[in-house]
Amino acid sequence: MSSLIKSILSSGSSQGGSQASLTTIPEILFPEIVITGTGGTATNMLNGATERFAWAFEAPITGDLAAFNFRVAGITTGCTISASVQAVAADGFPSGTPLSTAGTVVVGDTDDNTWKRVAFGAAASLTKGVVYYIVLQVDSGTPSALQGLFYGTGAGGVPLYSLSFSATYNGSAWTYASTNTAMAACLEY
């Protein structure tokens, strides 16, 4: 929140004798991208009980990450997903050690084109400018064609968010996604 807004809110000034009522809301940050055109690309994230999907991002601020929001593009068979924040290991993939207590969210068979929110059991303390992963994995059920919404490139083929990339785990090894894409997602501090 800007210092100007903070000073206005803390001043307690009133207009015409009536006092404004204030409500505190969490800060939600969206990746700094400009989306040109319409839509996006539906990309498989989870297609079996042992698969994992990891989205890398650069922390936009120093603070405690409380939740992760993402857009489901399509789903054939739903499941319960567990999400955690992980550091980047020496090999460039997720470290395997959660920095937060994992949270879960149910993605139902009919949750096509919906936003899902995963609140972490305990927030992950992040440092501005450091790259982290959000790791999604199956908590229960066996998903089929669980797709996230991704944006690849803007006008002229320029990546919309150059610090965003993803990796998938097939049950035995991690591999990087073949394209640099920005996940339709937001971070909630």
Side-chain angles (χ1 to χ4, degrees):
M1 187 182 307
S2 76
S3 58
L4 174 61
I5 293 172
K6 285 181 182 177
S7 68
I8 291 169
L9 294 177
S10 65
S11 70
S13 64
S14 61
Q15 296 269 338
S18 63
Q19 183 70 33
S21 173
L22 302 176
T23 302
T24 302
I25 60 172
E27 184 172 1
I28 299 176
L29 298 173
F30 294 87
E32 295 178 14
I33 61 174
V34 176
I35 298 171
T36 58
T38 59
T41 302
T43 302
N44 275 346
M45 294 191 310
L46 299 171
N47 201 30
T50 61
E51 292 184 358
R52 295 182 197 151
F53 177 84
W55 176 62
F57 66 96
E58 181 180 351
I61 64 171
T62 295
D64 294 329
L65 183 63
F68 171 68
N69 301 266
F70 65 98
R71 176 88 176 175
V72 174
I75 179 75
T76 301
T77 304
C79 66
T80 299
I81 294 175
S82 172
S84 65
V85 180
Q86 297 182 19
V88 178
D91 63 1
F93 293 112
S95 67
T97 304
L99 301 175
S100 62
T101 303
T104 60
V105 65
V106 174
V107 178
D109 295 352
T110 59
D111 282 345
D112 299 319
N113 301 309
T114 59
W115 280 94
K116 291 296 180 176
R117 179 180 185 269
V118 182
F120 300 117
S125 182
L126 305 183
T127 302
K128 180 180 180 174
V130 174
V131 176
Y132 298 92
Y133 277 104
I134 298 284
V135 178
L136 304 177
Q137 63 188 63
V138 177
D139 187 65
S140 65
T142 303
S144 174
L146 172 56
Q147 299 176 326
L149 185 63
F150 292 82
Y151 294 94
T153 58
V158 177
L160 291 169
Y161 188 53
S162 62
L163 294 174
S164 179
F165 56 92
S166 58
T168 56
Y169 183 80
N170 64 9
S172 60
W174 285 101
T175 57
Y176 290 113
S178 59
T179 59
N180 177 11
T181 58
M183 186 175 192
C186 63
L187 308 173
E188 189 176 324
Y189 282 81

